[in-house]
Structures are given as C-alpha cells and as structure tokens.
Amino acid sequence: MPVTPRQLSTWKSQGRKITALTAWDWSIAEILDEAGVDVILVGDSLAMVTLGYANTLPVTLEQMIHHASAVRRGVRQALTICDLPFMSYQESTTQALHNAGRVLKETGVQGVKLEGGSPHIVEVVARLTDIGIPVMGHVGLTPQSVHRLGWKQQGTSDADAITILDQAKQLAEAGAFAVILEHIPSTLADQLTQTLAIPTIGIGAGNRCDGQVLVTADVLGLSQHAPPFAKAYADLRGTIQKAVSAYATDVSNGDFPPGKS
C-alpha cells in the first residue's frame, strides 16, 4: 500500500524509523521507490544538485513543478512531497494557497514542504491543512534563509533552542504532519522528538529522530561538496568518470564500436 502521512504517525508510535531521500527526476525516483524508501522529497536542493546554482534561492515554482511531475511518475509506494521554493509562499497566505494547490494539481505529489516557523508560516500551514493539503514543516537550518543564517548549525544557544522548539510545536499545532530538523544539536533534536506528537525527520540532527533524510546526490557520492553530516554510500562520481574515460579512450583508439571480425 502507498505510504500516507497518517502512516508516518503510526510508525512513530511504533518506534519504526522512517527513511527519506530526495529525488529530482523519474529514473532516480523509480530506483528509490523500488528500494523501499518511505518518503521521497522533491527538495529545492535540486537547484544546486541538478541546476548548478550556489544555493536554493534561484529555483522557481515552475521548475519545481517540472521536476516534481517527473519524480511522481516514477513512484508507486513512497509518500512524495515537494518543496515550495523561495518566495512562492512568503508573500501572503493567498499566494501560498494558490501555489501549493498548483503543485498538488499539476504534479500528483501528496503534500508540500515549507521552511520556518514564524507566525506567518504557522498561519500558512494552518490554512493549507484546513483545505486538505498535507504540509511538512522544516526548522533549524533553513536553506532559504542562507543569507541570514549561513550554513552553520542552529539552536546552539539556549535562546535559539527555545525558539526552534516553540516553532516546531506551533507547526504541529497548526496541522503539519511531520517536521524536518536540519543541522541542530542532537540533544535538541531528541527533545523535539520526545515532545512532538508528529514525526521528526532529521538531517544533521543526530540519530534520535523518528526518521532521517539526506540529499540523494550526497548518498551516492555525486556531490563535490557534501555537508559534514552526510554519508556517501557509493562513489558514483568516480565510477561515472572512469566509465566515460574508458569510453572516450575506446573511441579515440578505434576500439568502439568494434569492427567486423
């Protein structure tokens, strides 16, 4: 059966860990789904992984819809969530409703993710969930705020930890079905996991969260500059380079395609 937001809550209550990875096209999504990943996130990290930008800010709503549509066509079981990109939901609640609705209608994903926990964002989450759009929250290091926060760990001071804890609680109360905790101390992530009724999905937040998410390009060893909390389970960058080099050598030497014997 396809994974649903309610299923994630059940797994949290059962102590069953949740696996999540990002995808940016049909082929990667199909592989992740067949491998049994629970949640596939069409993250705005595709701005860096796929489109070559320095951060996530330039990616547009149209680009996210384009990639999310391709990803969704490759998924049969996993819960598929799409990021709302920078400035597609911050302007007003009306803007957020319109754009989130477009994402669901035009891509077929089952929910959206947005960053932050300000009063405006909490209001957006409440309105989206009220009309039936599942929302995943995201607190801690929020990449769309890179110019204000940088890439450093968040929640390291008592005051910042209290802010993140309060934001996550408000997102849950507003109806978010899960929340990503990015690059925060493991002690804070543990406290959030124990406090919140909704699942926590960690990325650089220790191993006490209800689940984990990473950027798939980092997992596969495709990234040149993966964050320190990521783990490469393969070196596909090196494998691809070797394969392409061997192909180029064969063509240069006249060994490919092979001639008649």
Side-chain angles (χ1 to χ4, degrees):
M1 295 292 291
V3 178
T4 65
R6 182 172 292 182
Q7 186 74 63
L8 301 189
S9 294
T10 299
W11 287 339
K12 176 184 176 77
S13 65
Q14 295 172 343
R16 190 268 210 197
K17 295 289 188 177
I18 299 162
T19 59
L21 285 170
T22 65
W24 51 87
D25 64 12
W26 172 83
S27 59
I28 290 293
E30 187 178 49
I31 292 169
L32 300 185
D33 193 54
E34 290 178 351
V37 172
D38 300 318
V39 180
I40 295 177
L41 173 66
V42 187
D44 58 5
S45 56
L46 69 84
M48 305 162 73
V49 170
T50 306
L51 303 179
Y53 292 117
N55 53 54
T56 66
L57 300 184
V59 71
T60 66
L61 181 66
E62 284 68 27
Q63 288 170 325
M64 293 301 301
I65 289 174
H66 171 82
H67 286 274
S69 297
V71 167
R72 188 67 187 90
R73 288 191 288 271
V75 177
R76 293 181 180 274
Q77 297 297 322
L79 176 65
T80 311
I81 305 297
C82 181
D83 269 349
L84 292 182
F86 181 61
M87 290 311 297
S88 68
Y89 59 95
Q90 291 94 336
E91 185 177 332
S92 67
T93 302
T94 300
Q95 177 204 33
L97 291 171
H98 174 77
N99 289 335
R102 276 195 64 193
V103 169
L104 262 67
K105 286 172 67 68
E106 297 179 31
T107 71
V109 301
Q110 295 100 325
V112 298
K113 180 175 76 65
L114 42 78
E115 295 182 4
S118 68
H120 167 66
I121 299 302
V122 172
E123 179 185 354
V124 166
V125 171
R127 289 288 289 116
L128 289 176
T129 56
D130 183 55
I131 63 171
I133 298 179
V135 180
M136 177 180 284
H138 185 155
V139 297
L141 174 60
T142 47
Q144 291 179 13
S145 300
V146 61
H147 293 316
R148 180 172 64 88
L149 300 178
W151 298 108
K152 66 181 181 180
Q153 187 180 53
Q154 301 298 304
T156 54
S157 71
D158 289 343
D160 288 345
I162 291 172
T163 296
I164 292 172
L165 182 62
D166 184 59
Q167 288 178 343
K169 287 180 178 178
Q170 291 189 48
L171 289 171
E173 291 172 0
F177 70 86
V179 61
I180 285 183
L181 310 178
E182 181 166 358
H183 205 18
I184 62 174
S186 59
T187 52
L188 175 58
D190 186 23
Q191 183 181 4
L192 282 159
T193 301
Q194 298 300 319
T195 300
L196 299 176
I198 62 174
T200 59
I201 311 295
I203 175 168
N207 63 3
R208 300 297 296 277
C209 299
D210 296 306
Q212 297 292 327
V213 64
L214 282 175
V215 173
T216 298
D218 296 339
V219 171
L220 300 180
L222 290 169
S223 303
Q224 283 186 297
H225 305 292
F229 50 75
K231 178 179 178 179
Y233 286 80
D235 179 22
L236 293 196
R237 188 179 186 88
T239 299
I240 292 170
Q241 287 175 334
K242 289 178 182 178
V244 172
S245 178
Y247 164 75
T249 298
D250 281 356
V251 171
S252 297
N253 294 339
D255 296 328
F256 181 86
K260 295 182 178 179
S261 57

